[in-house]
Amino acid sequence: MQRLIPVLNNDHVPLHLISVINTLLIAAKEISFRLHQGSLAGTLGSTLDENVQGETQKKLDVVSNQLIKSMLLETNLVHAVASEEEDFVVMGNPDAKYLVAFDPLDGSSNIDINGSVGTIFSILEKPDHPAEGTELFLQTGDEQIAAGYILYGPSTMLVLTTGNGVKMFTLDHSIGEFLLTVEKVTLAEQTQEFAINMSNRRFWTSPMEHYISDLLSGELGVRKKNFNMRWNAAMVSDVHRVLSRSGIFMYPADCKNPEKPCKLRLMYEANPMSFLVEQAGGRSSTGYERIMSIQPTDIHERVSVIMGSRAEVDSCLGYYKKYQCDRPDTPKV
Ligand code: AHG
Ligand code: MN
Ligand code: MN
């Protein structure tokens, strides 16, 4: 089985970019080790701190953030990093060209129940125009030059795109290397499986309410086929299932909290996952616009997410055309 670096070399990925990706993986191996140690590692549970979005930080969120941030900055290949766990952009080498946005630990509420979690990353280049701090990162998802996630599940996997399809690698713990296990991820066009947090149903807007209602009616309804539902509550692991066996993953804007109509973050959750899904032949939208076309205005902004198998996403988007309603989120493009 092929190791990561020769595979990326073969794909003509620039050496410095390979180094940045490899650095993320060195940090990921350390995170994976600590996660697999579980309670033995002494890093489970909550700290008393809250992150910039007011959520309680898990100790492992903090540890993972620190590890990834410091290792990336030490490479001298990274100009700046943005993280879910950092208020502001952290600057690195002024002469370096790479920008890395990341969610150090996604689905962190799963840690306490020994469920799957992950690290999501999005790599951009310093823009041509003069920009500083946050402005550096305010680029559309289409500007990403690489993106992916590391899933810490029963096995630890890297799912990566550099704009030339999607590859999956599995960590071989015996040699400490990621080995190529799926050469070309292809997302089936059709699916009979959906992922959404159903407990939010009463807060959804009418397009989503009608769409899910038709899925639930199964072969007795207009869709004329039965649908299964899965929800792991970690985007990494839910999207990994979609990339592995098809599906549609949704976290739509809702009216639960008018201050926060969307849950998922554009720069380090929705954009990198959209890049993977589109590169695997799928589709990704807010319901109204393609996610990777959105011009961000803040590194921590949140967005409505509908992604996965192409025909199913299209069918969901049909409901957004048919059922007009006020948007709880602000249109971005
Ligand atoms: P994070 O742990 O980085 O804050 O992200 C959690 C996100 C995402 O991974 C997942 O899809 C979603 O929150 C789960 O939300 P619910 O709690 O509504 O299930
Ligand atoms: Mn997350
Ligand atoms: Mn997180």
Side-chain angles (χ1 to χ4, degrees), residues 76-87:
N76 270 332
L77 297 171
V78 174
H79 183 63
V81 298
S83 159
E84 182 194 354
E85 305 297 339
E86 303 277 342
D87 257 321

Side-chain angles (χ1 to χ4, degrees), residues 2 52-53 64 71 86 112 117-118 123 166 211 217 219 221 230 236 240 265 296 303 305 325 328:
Q2 288 177 280
V52 289
Q53 287 139 76
S64 307
M71 291 182 74
E86 303 277 342
D112 293 338
V117 292
I123 305 179
V166 179
Y211 170 63
S217 300
E219 56 190 15
R230 287 285 184 270
V236 163
H240 187 72
R265 277 57 63 105
V303 69
V305 172
C325 69

Side-chain angles (χ1 to χ4, degrees), residues 81-141:
V81 298
S83 159
E84 182 194 354
E85 305 297 339
E86 303 277 342
D87 257 321
F88 305 107
V89 161
V90 184
M91 299 305 297
N93 177 0
D95 300 323
K97 70 170 176 183
Y98 294 117
L99 307 171
V100 186
F102 59 94
D103 178 353
L105 219 48
D106 173 67
S108 50
S109 65
N110 277 357
I111 295 170
D112 293 338
I113 57 152
N114 197 13
S116 293
V117 292
T119 295
I120 311 175
F121 59 90
S122 161
I123 305 179
L124 299 157
E125 284 181 344
K126 200 159 68 171
D128 294 335
H129 58 268
E132 278 177 32
T134 299
E135 284 165 12
L136 289 162
F137 283 86
L138 303 183
Q139 307 182 36
T140 67

Side-chain angles (χ1 to χ4, degrees), residues 51 55 61 84-85 103 105-109 120 197 199-200 231-236 238 249 251 256 263-265 269:
N51 69 7
E55 296 146 341
D61 285 337
E84 182 194 354
E85 305 297 339
D103 178 353
L105 219 48
D106 173 67
S108 50
S109 65
I120 311 175
N197 184 343
S199 72
N200 292 326
W231 186 249
N232 286 339
M235 188 190 199
V236 163
D238 282 308
F249 168 89
Y251 214 119
K256 192 175 184 176
K263 171 129 191 198
L264 298 177
R265 277 57 63 105
E269 291 178 322

Side-chain angles (χ1 to χ4, degrees), residues 115-175:
S116 293
V117 292
T119 295
I120 311 175
F121 59 90
S122 161
I123 305 179
L124 299 157
E125 284 181 344
K126 200 159 68 171
D128 294 335
H129 58 268
E132 278 177 32
T134 299
E135 284 165 12
L136 289 162
F137 283 86
L138 303 183
Q139 307 182 36
T140 67
D142 279 327
E143 311 291 322
Q144 295 173 102
I145 53 165
Y149 60 79
I150 297 106
L151 168 67
Y152 311 105
S155 57
T156 295
M157 292 185 74
L158 162 71
V159 179
L160 176 71
T161 184
T162 54
N164 179 25
V166 179
K167 292 182 167 65
M168 291 187 181
F169 300 82
T170 305
L171 176 60
D172 181 338
H173 288 278
S174 64
I175 56 169

Side-chain angles (χ1 to χ4, degrees), residues 238-305:
D238 282 308
V239 172
H240 187 72
R241 185 187 56 255
V242 168
L243 287 171
S244 302
R245 69 173 188 208
S246 85
I248 179 167
F249 168 89
M250 293 156 284
Y251 214 119
D254 63 37
C255 309
K256 192 175 184 176
N257 174 359
E259 301 292 303
K260 201 175 100 175
C262 306
K263 171 129 191 198
L264 298 177
R265 277 57 63 105
L266 176 64
M267 303 295 299
Y268 39 80
E269 291 178 322
N271 266 344
M273 292 310 210
S274 299
F275 195 11
L276 291 169
V277 163
E278 287 198 6
Q279 283 289 316
R283 190 149 290 172
S284 178
S285 168
T286 63
Y288 296 95
E289 63 263 324
R290 185 173 161 267
I291 287 179
M292 289 207 292
S293 304
I294 295 173
Q295 175 58 51
T297 53
D298 185 88
I299 48 168
H300 295 299
E301 78 185 59
R302 297 173 190 259
V303 69
S304 170
V305 172

